Amino acid sequence: MNMQAPVTKSPDSKIPASKATNHDAQPVAAKTGLAALWRPALVQAFVKLDPRQLHRAPVMLVVELTAVLTTVLCLIPDPAVPTSVAVQIAIWLWFTVLFANFAEALAEGRGKARADSLKAGSEGLKARIQGANGSYEMVNAATLRKGDVVRVEAGELIPGDGEVIEGIAAVNEAAITGESAPVIRESGGDRSAVTGNTRLVSDWLLVRISANPGESTLDRMIALVEGAKRQKTPNEVALDILLIGLTLIFLLVVVTLQPFAHFAGGNLPLVFLVALLVTLIPTTIGGLLSAIGIAGMDRLVRLNVIAKSGRAVEAAGDVHVLLLDKTGTITFGNRRCAAVYAAPGVTPKELSEGTLLASLADDTAEGKSIVEYLRGQHPMTEPAPSQLTAVPFTAETRLSGVDFEGRVYRKGAVDSLLKFLGRDRSDLPPVLAREIDKIAKTGGTPLLVCGDGKLLGAIHLKDVVKPGIRERFEELRKLGIRTVMVTGDNPLTAAAIAAEAGVDDVLAEATPEKKLERIRQEQNDGRLVAMCGDGANDAPALAQADVGMAMNDGTQAAREAANMVDLDSDPTKLLDVVQIGKELLVTRGALTTFSIANDVAKYFAILPALFAAIYPQLGVLNIMHLASPQSAILSAIVFNALIIVVLIPLALRGVRVQAASAAHLLRRNLLVYGLGGLVVPFVGIKVIDLLLTALHLV
């Protein structure tokens, strides 16, 4: 992966590299908390009773129609049904719809609060657009179109998504990413893309706008978190079809019950049949399905990832293979000092002091890592920078170091430093030669260091695997996901790093063609593939992958090819996206299982109550021994409404996915939500029955 260009810090860019969200997120968190959202969500629950809005949830539309019918039946006296019981049934049916609407409104309210905070920063934004004659004029940012060229000065907001065509500047992307540390954006290369509503903190940029109004990163982010305009994912559509099918089946079942009752010389009150229909259809998952989807998207946005479609999030939950770039994902972006080896006759103290002096003026990440390593090994009194004469690294010499008090300290590539000392490879001490060979074979980079014409020893620079990454790969392995490390290194080096990181496979000496070929190979074998990238050369592979995540600081080509954009430009985020995708799928599955399992208890509660007088043989099913038929039906209806309220927090938070095999996860969910779905209604309905009887409500 391409490294970010170094930046010379200006006074404007001296911003602490801390999360802006440390103070800015507090108001947002307050706005998205339950205390702030429940009142508007309650209002929206009533607004959503409009059938034109409720048609997106067919099951709840059926419940609303039954509530309307029951309300009408309350006005028509029926000797078999006390009016008080009919009224209570009607009230609880309305509560069932309202609770489901409340769950959806609560999820949407969270998103709307986030969306409002995002919108606030872009209102009234102006842009300096370049005219045909090269002059500039101020216009509203909302009028910009794809292809327009704008000039942005230090302190101004970038008016829209685009590509830098001229200039280099530091950009504060805290409005989008929450990170206040400025990043460098420049024309050409893989760090040319800029995001609208971010602020320049130095210099100037000439930006070509790449998105029309309503299509920018910010617009997509707002649309995603608002939820109301969210398109249903294929998985949700399929589940909707299943729920509609079950509703139709139970409708047919309930319709046929009255003829059976007439045949036996009995009669079933219409109110009870309506109540039976509502308790049998999968109202729990039907009421929470939309809230689960919206909450899943909200978790993704909180992760600072923009998905172009819900399909990509669901695919992330089903991926079998992850293609991960080595640099910046599995390892730190720069090589770090791992060890130093002394030449024969050189003391550790002499080696440390000489190596430290040779590295003090080195501003590269590698040089800083050497200084950091040695300070911890052998503390010494360091000279002031003014006492040192720095000798910077050049491509010709391949050396760097300092001149200090008439002595010369240098470090650099093996052959270059030996040439500086007037020696060749054969002059290397055997012990040191073996250490250098060992470093090279394990994928590291050996450097030599000398002081005042004397060879002091060798430095071992290596790709340092990020802490905790091996454990994360182990968790993915338990979930049945294979990890493939993609690197441009030679196979030997790649294998050494792969063994340390704990990945399942390696793609060494990777080219764009090799990446594309590997993805197609995996897909042809029936596997879903996810990968991340940032460069234009990653665009074909990102487009081919089932889940392609582009870095926000990457090229426009990569961002357009991918179906997800990470605003923080953190490649390891792909692992979290997979986790969210799995949680979304598992939550839907778990609550569907729970909802369908609920019906079993309701058979034992309502059917014996309805038919015991007509078919005495059915009395054997009356294992719950509820007080009366009216109490049984009302208890089931009350439970049906209250269980939605109980499950709202779970729907919004999502079911946590543990690192385990698919079979283990299935067994666990069947035990918790399948068996739990069977047991809980028996207990709940019985308790409600006892309360209703004690309060003389039936």
Side-chain angles (χ1 to χ4, degrees):
M1 204 172 273
N2 296 310
M3 301 307 300
Q4 189 165 311
V7 56
T8 304
K9 291 195 176 182
S10 66
D12 295 315
S13 67
K14 290 178 181 177
I15 304 171
S18 60
K19 284 279 184 185
T21 49
N22 289 345
H23 60 269
D24 294 338
Q26 289 176 6
V28 178
K31 290 177 185 175
T32 56
L34 184 61
L37 293 178
W38 75 267
R39 288 185 183 86
L42 194 59
V43 173
Q44 280 300 308
F46 283 93
V47 173
K48 287 176 179 290
L49 290 174
D50 184 346
R52 290 171 297 181
Q53 292 199 38
L54 212 58
H55 80 277
R56 287 173 59 86
V59 175
M60 299 320 298
L61 181 60
V62 170
V63 178
E64 184 177 47
L65 292 174
T66 57
V68 171
L69 178 60
T70 309
T71 306
V72 172
L73 292 173
C74 289
L75 305 174
I76 305 170
D78 187 341
V81 184
T83 304
S84 62
V85 173
V87 169
Q88 288 181 74
I89 290 173
I91 289 170
W92 281 104
L93 287 178
W94 283 113
F95 274 153
T96 304
V97 185
L98 284 170
F99 290 154
N101 288 350
F102 180 76
E104 185 178 15
L106 206 58
E108 285 179 2
R110 274 187 181 175
K112 193 173 183 305
R114 293 183 199 281
D116 290 342
S117 66
L118 290 168
K119 286 175 183 174
S122 59
E123 289 175 358
L125 189 60
K126 298 286 185 181
R128 191 182 291 103
I129 189 170
Q130 188 181 56
N133 59 358
S135 62
Y136 294 94
E137 64 170 313
M138 296 300 290
V139 298
N140 287 325
T143 64
L144 293 174
R145 293 293 182 270
K146 190 173 181 178
D148 288 344
V149 175
V150 297
R151 183 181 171 94
V152 190
E153 304 279 356
E156 295 177 349
L157 289 174
I158 296 172
D161 289 4
E163 191 124 20
V164 179
I165 57 175
E166 193 177 332
I168 177 170
V171 181
N172 185 340
E173 296 185 340
I176 302 293
T177 67
E179 178 63 64
S180 63
V183 293
I184 300 304
R185 295 289 176 265
E186 59 184 323
S187 59
D190 291 344
R191 298 289 180 266
S192 60
V194 290
T195 307
N197 213 45
T198 56
R199 190 178 298 276
L200 250 67
V201 294
S202 74
D203 305 294
W204 60 272
L205 292 175
L206 211 58
V207 177
R208 181 181 288 113
I209 300 297
S210 60
N212 290 322
E215 300 172 1
S216 68
T217 298
L218 190 65
D219 293 321
R220 289 206 305 269
M221 196 171 182
I222 290 167
L224 193 66
V225 298
E226 278 184 325
K229 300 172 187 174
R230 182 184 64 92
Q231 287 188 329
K232 287 189 177 184
T233 63
N235 187 276
E236 273 184 281
V237 172
L239 195 52
D240 259 343
I241 293 169
L242 172 66
L243 298 182
I244 292 167
L246 288 172
T247 302
L248 288 172
I249 290 168
F250 285 122
L251 180 61
L252 290 172
V253 169
V254 171
V255 167
T256 57
L257 290 179
Q258 190 68 281
F260 277 109
H262 280 300
F263 181 77
N267 185 49
L268 296 175
L270 189 55
V271 173
F272 288 176
L273 287 175
V274 169
L276 176 63
L277 173 64
V278 172
T279 56
L280 292 184
I281 63 176
T283 50
T284 308
I285 185 62
L288 297 174
L289 185 59
S290 183
I292 293 167
I294 295 168
M297 294 299 141
D298 184 57
R299 287 199 295 279
L300 197 70
V301 170
R302 274 184 281 163
L303 202 64
N304 269 347
V305 175
I306 301 298
K308 295 181 182 179
S309 71
R311 186 191 296 268
V313 186
E314 285 187 352
D318 278 332
V319 295
H320 304 94
V321 181
L322 286 182
L323 263 66
L324 300 165
D325 205 59
K326 181 201 73 176
T327 308
T329 308
I330 295 171
T331 65
F332 289 100
N334 302 290
R335 298 192 168 197
R336 298 187 173 192
C337 179
V340 289
Y341 303 98
V346 178
T347 64
K349 187 173 184 293
E350 189 180 359
L351 172 65
S352 295
E353 288 182 358
T355 307
L356 185 65
L357 286 167
S359 307
L360 277 175
D362 188 351
D363 280 334
T364 65
E366 289 85 356
K368 289 175 180 176
S369 78
I370 295 169
V371 172
E372 187 183 333
Y373 177 83
L374 292 170
R375 279 173 177 166
Q377 295 289 318
H378 296 277
M380 61 170 282
T381 306
E382 296 174 21
S386 58
Q387 296 176 272
L388 303 172
T389 304
V391 179
F393 176 88
T394 65
E396 290 79 23
T397 64
R398 298 179 68 197
L399 298 173
S400 66
V402 299
D403 295 338
F404 174 59
E405 295 180 347
R407 288 174 295 200
V408 175
Y409 295 92
R410 296 288 186 271
K411 65 172 174 50
V414 174
D415 292 332
S416 300
L417 194 122
L418 287 172
K419 185 180 177 183
F420 178 77
L421 294 174
R423 306 180 192 180
D424 54 36
R425 282 265 182 170
S426 60
D427 297 325
L428 272 174
V431 176
L432 202 58
R434 282 196 297 272
E435 290 294 348
I436 289 168
D437 288 341
K438 194 186 295 180
I439 293 168
K441 284 178 182 175
T442 55
T445 301
L447 299 180
L448 289 181
V449 60
C450 69
D452 213 21
K454 180 182 179 183
L455 182 63
L456 298 177
I459 304 167
H460 183 181
L461 294 179
K462 64 176 287 190
D463 279 307
V464 178
V465 173
K466 289 182 176 179
I469 201 84
R470 189 182 183 93
E471 288 73 20
R472 295 207 62 179
F473 289 156
E474 185 61 37
E475 288 177 10
L476 290 171
R477 199 173 293 112
K478 288 178 182 175
L479 291 168
I481 298 170
R482 287 171 55 244
T483 50
V484 180
M485 186 181 82
V486 180
T487 176
D489 293 337
N490 64 69
L492 190 65
T493 302
I497 297 165
E500 189 179 350
V503 295
D504 298 304
D505 202 357
V506 180
L507 183 62
E509 296 176 342
T511 61
E513 292 77 19
K514 273 193 174 181
K515 293 179 190 176
L516 195 59
E517 186 185 342
R518 179 59 182 262
I519 292 171
R520 284 173 175 166
Q521 181 189 324
E522 297 284 358
Q523 289 172 333
N524 290 337
D525 291 339
R527 303 184 187 97
L528 294 184
V529 182
M531 78 160 286
C532 58
D534 61 353
N537 61 352
D538 291 324
L542 287 169
Q544 181 66 37
D546 300 283
V547 180
M549 192 172 79
M551 304 295 102
N552 191 49
D553 64 2
T555 59
Q556 192 63 32
R559 293 187 353 175
E560 287 177 359
N563 48 25
M564 287 188 187
V565 178
D566 176 27
L567 300 176
D568 294 329
S569 302
D570 176 9
T572 57
K573 198 75 70 65
L574 188 58
L575 306 179
D576 298 311
V577 170
V578 169
Q579 186 76 10
I580 287 175
K582 282 211 173 290
E583 284 179 1
L584 193 59
L585 293 174
V586 169
T587 303
R588 285 204 199 107
L591 293 186
T592 302
T593 304
F594 184 88
S595 181
I596 293 172
N598 271 206
D599 288 344
V600 176
K602 295 163 190 173
Y603 299 146
F604 287 95
I606 296 182
L607 291 179
L610 283 176
F611 286 95
I614 303 170
Y615 296 103
Q617 298 89 338
L618 290 176
V620 73
L621 297 178
N622 189 20
I623 60 175
M624 298 176 73
H625 300 292
L626 302 178
S628 66
Q630 292 90 345
S631 175
I633 289 164
L634 188 55
S635 299
I637 288 288
V638 172
F639 175 84
N640 211 48
L642 293 179
I643 199 66
I644 293 176
V645 180
V646 172
L647 292 174
I648 286 175
L650 183 64
L652 296 181
R653 190 185 69 246
V655 175
R656 297 287 179 260
V657 177
Q658 298 176 332
S661 66
H664 177 81
L665 286 175
L666 182 61
R667 282 197 301 271
R668 179 182 173 275
N669 282 347
L670 284 175
L671 185 66
V672 175
Y673 298 99
L675 187 62
L678 288 173
V679 174
V680 169
F682 279 97
V683 176
I685 290 171
K686 183 65 179 177
V687 169
I688 293 168
D689 174 70
L690 293 172
L691 285 171
L692 292 175
T693 307
L695 296 170
H696 304 291
L697 293 173
V698 289

